[in-house]
Amino acid sequence: MTPDDGDGATIMVGHLAPGGAGVSTDPLAVPMARLICLDDSQLDPKQKGLVIALTGGIHTLGRNPNNTDPILYKGVSGQHARISPLQGKWAIEDLGSTNGVWIKGIREKHAFLVPGDFIKIGAVPFQFVVDDPVAVAPSPRHGQSVDNETLFLGGNHEDNADKIVKLLDLAQEEEVEEKPSKEAGRAASVPSMFVKSEEPSPKVSIKMIVLFILLLALVGGGYGIYTLQKGPGGGDEVQRYQKEIKKFLDAYEMVKGTLSNNDLNTQIATIEGLLKPLSADAERYPGNMELKELQVRLRFLRLERQVILFAQEEHPQQTESMVDELVAFVSADWTRSLEKQAWLKDMRGLLDLVKNVVTVQQFRQRYPRPSKKSTDRPTQEWMTSMGKVSGNIVKLKKDTSINILLSVQFPLFGRIVTQVDEEDLPAISRWKEVLQ
């Protein structure tokens, strides 16, 4: 079962494989690590330079000061996320926050953290850094409660099943004790010969179902986190597409060097292969806004590749209609019901940056080399327009939210912007000098 928004107690079940020399067999022994805030401008002044040290045990993140690691920003939920040691790694869990937990641009419910991961808690960006992969942080022992909702049971102990049974039986007994029985009182005052004996009707308790699943996990070994949650229609589809998008990002988004036209066309075809069923599922579940968000992300991933492709083919103007199409999509009626209005505003700002970048590409294609000897020169009207475009790019680049999108969710387009900043804008300035 996969958790969605909501609360639920968790039991972690594991099998402790024997370890070699110098290797910890404790599944909750994890490397010392840190979450380094990449942009503290949104935080309370007291939290400038925020670094969250992950030194073992459970860490809770959120706006409320009673968290182990508060993040004082209005866009962070009171109880936003939990980071726990699991399987020798650090695992993060969204606690039903409004603005989500994002890893490499994908909204995650549960995920293992990988060194170097870019993470957003709401709109606050962090990078996960492991300080020493050999030194391990102290961790709770077998059978010890690691917080008020989680209990770890290691798999190398024969009493695991009994422990689970006792936990569930105790919970049932507490429920029974909380319900005063009027019938029991009446029965005590009536002679037993007049009381009709009834066999209790068999009931399948939800706790017994959980017990069965947990026992299966024990037999099979490994680790599992099981919660009973409710979610909107299309929840399974959201998780499937999130995994596919993450797989795509890992394979292509951080690739260095120049992309050939063939590479770009292959990647665009892969994105379109995901977009088609995603769009169908978004129509099937119109109330699931996460599917809509994923549509926006995939369409932008396609757009940034089209910007590069058409620029390399010397047809940057062909990108304009695609930008306008995506602008219309993020301004449509469905966006009014989306809680993340700030995110949509950021995406519109990013698309405004795309428009300006495409305009610069068109100018450079038309006037590639600034020179007084050139017979083909831009008009004064052109230069006035490009002055405004250059100013827009500089202004949008200074926007913190757009910078986060470029560095965390769409690093490929970030490379395009860097190239424009380092090559194209100086060329425009040189043209200005030539024409004076």
Side-chain angles (χ1 to χ4, degrees):
M1 288 177 286
T2 304
D4 203 325
D5 292 346
D7 298 323
T10 303
I11 297 178
M12 297 182 184
V13 183
H15 178 75
L16 303 182
V23 179
S24 172
T25 59
D26 186 343
L28 297 187
V30 286
M32 298 288 191
R34 290 174 295 157
L35 285 180
I36 301 174
C37 183
L38 301 178
D39 178 18
D40 58 12
S41 63
Q42 306 173 82
L43 302 179
D44 187 284
K46 295 181 293 184
Q47 291 198 305
K48 294 301 179 183
L50 176 65
V51 176
I52 297 173
L54 302 176
T55 56
I58 299 294
H59 293 257
T60 57
L61 314 179
R63 192 177 63 252
N64 291 344
N66 61 347
N67 286 286
T68 60
D69 300 280
I71 301 175
L72 305 181
Y73 174 60
K74 62 183 179 180
V76 174
S77 297
Q79 301 290 332
H80 198 106
R82 175 167 51 202
I83 299 180
S84 314
L86 180 63
Q87 234 174 326
K89 303 176 184 178
W90 288 102
I92 192 167
E93 174 187 3
D94 190 337
L95 296 178
S97 66
T98 299
N99 293 322
V101 172
W102 303 82
I103 301 177
K104 291 184 178 179
I106 303 296
R107 187 166 185 170
E108 301 282 7
K109 298 298 181 185
H110 282 110
F112 283 113
L113 297 180
V114 176
D117 270 351
F118 289 101
I119 303 160
K120 281 209 311 179
I121 306 297
V124 183
F126 292 87
Q127 186 170 23
F128 176 68
V129 176
V130 172
D131 293 325
D132 187 349
V134 177
V136 296
S139 59
R141 304 269 61 82
H142 165 80
Q144 177 182 349
S145 176
V146 293
D147 66 358
N148 60 349
E149 294 180 335
T150 307
L151 179 73
F152 177 77
L153 301 178
N156 279 351
H157 300 269
E158 295 178 356
D159 61 340
N160 279 350
D162 291 338
K163 189 176 288 288
I164 298 173
V165 172
K166 288 177 182 178
L167 285 171
L168 298 178
D169 286 346
L170 178 61
Q172 279 188 316
E173 288 171 7
E174 289 174 352
E175 288 182 3
V176 171
E177 289 173 1
E178 290 174 0
K179 297 178 182 179
S181 174
K182 294 181 181 179
E183 288 76 7
R186 286 197 298 269
S189 62
V190 179
S192 59
M193 67 182 68
F194 297 109
V195 178
K196 181 179 179 181
S197 176
E198 293 183 0
E199 291 292 328
S201 58
K203 277 190 175 181
V204 179
S205 167
I206 190 67
K207 293 183 177 61
M208 294 307 296
I209 296 174
V210 175
L211 172 61
F212 177 72
I213 295 172
L214 291 173
L215 290 176
L216 285 178
L218 280 173
V219 172
Y223 290 84
I225 298 178
Y226 300 96
T227 54
L228 297 176
Q229 305 279 356
K230 293 182 179 179
D236 291 341
E237 285 78 4
V238 167
Q239 293 194 16
R240 185 174 75 250
Y241 291 120
Q242 284 178 337
K243 290 178 180 178
E244 290 294 331
I245 293 173
K246 188 172 184 179
K247 182 179 176 182
F248 178 87
L249 293 175
D250 290 342
Y252 299 118
E253 192 71 4
M254 302 299 291
V255 174
K256 304 297 182 183
T258 303
L259 293 170
S260 68
N261 289 3
N262 185 56
D263 291 335
L264 291 166
N265 281 316
T266 299
Q267 293 176 27
I268 290 170
T270 302
I271 292 171
E272 289 176 344
L274 290 172
L275 260 176
K276 186 174 181 180
L278 172 56
S279 300
D281 284 328
E283 290 183 10
R284 182 182 174 194
Y285 302 105
N288 192 315
M289 293 296 103
E290 289 188 70
L291 288 173
K292 294 286 190 184
E293 287 182 51
L294 292 175
Q295 275 186 288
V296 174
R297 293 177 190 282
L298 271 179
R299 291 175 74 159
F300 193 90
L301 289 172
R302 178 179 63 181
L303 177 63
E304 61 184 355
R305 283 156 179 80
Q306 289 167 330
V307 169
I308 298 173
L309 180 63
F310 292 136
Q312 291 179 176
E313 292 179 345
E314 299 185 349
H315 300 294
Q317 65 277 7
Q318 293 186 16
T319 316
E320 289 181 343
S321 60
M322 297 170 185
V323 177
D324 292 338
E325 181 184 341
L326 188 49
V327 169
F329 186 72
V330 298
S331 305
D333 290 342
W334 68 268
T335 61
R336 297 172 189 171
S337 59
L338 188 66
E339 293 179 354
K340 303 172 190 62
Q341 292 297 323
W343 177 78
L344 282 172
K345 181 182 176 183
D346 295 343
M347 285 302 302
R348 294 184 190 113
L350 185 59
L351 288 168
D352 190 19
L353 179 58
V354 176
K355 282 185 174 182
N356 285 279
V357 165
V358 170
T359 301
V360 168
Q361 289 178 336
Q362 291 180 38
F363 179 85
R364 286 300 309 281
Q365 181 199 351
R366 181 73 175 80
Y367 307 104
R369 295 179 183 84
S371 172
K372 290 183 178 181
K373 297 181 180 180
S374 176
T375 55
D376 190 11
R377 299 184 176 191
T379 64
Q380 190 59 45
E381 185 178 4
W382 249 111
M383 291 307 302
T384 300
S385 174
M386 294 312 300
K388 293 179 180 178
V389 169
S390 299
N392 288 339
I393 291 175
V394 172
K395 179 181 177 182
L396 289 166
K397 275 189 61 191
K398 292 180 179 178
D399 187 290
T400 301
S401 299
I402 291 177
N403 265 310
I404 293 171
L405 288 174
L406 292 175
S407 61
V408 177
Q409 297 184 21
F410 306 111
L412 181 59
F413 188 68
R415 287 167 55 190
I416 300 172
V417 174
T418 298
Q419 182 179 355
V420 167
D421 193 39
E422 293 178 352
E423 299 177 13
D424 298 330
L425 296 189
I428 293 172
S429 297
R430 287 197 297 273
W431 266 120
K432 186 177 179 180
E433 294 171 0
V434 166
L435 296 175
Q436 285 179 344

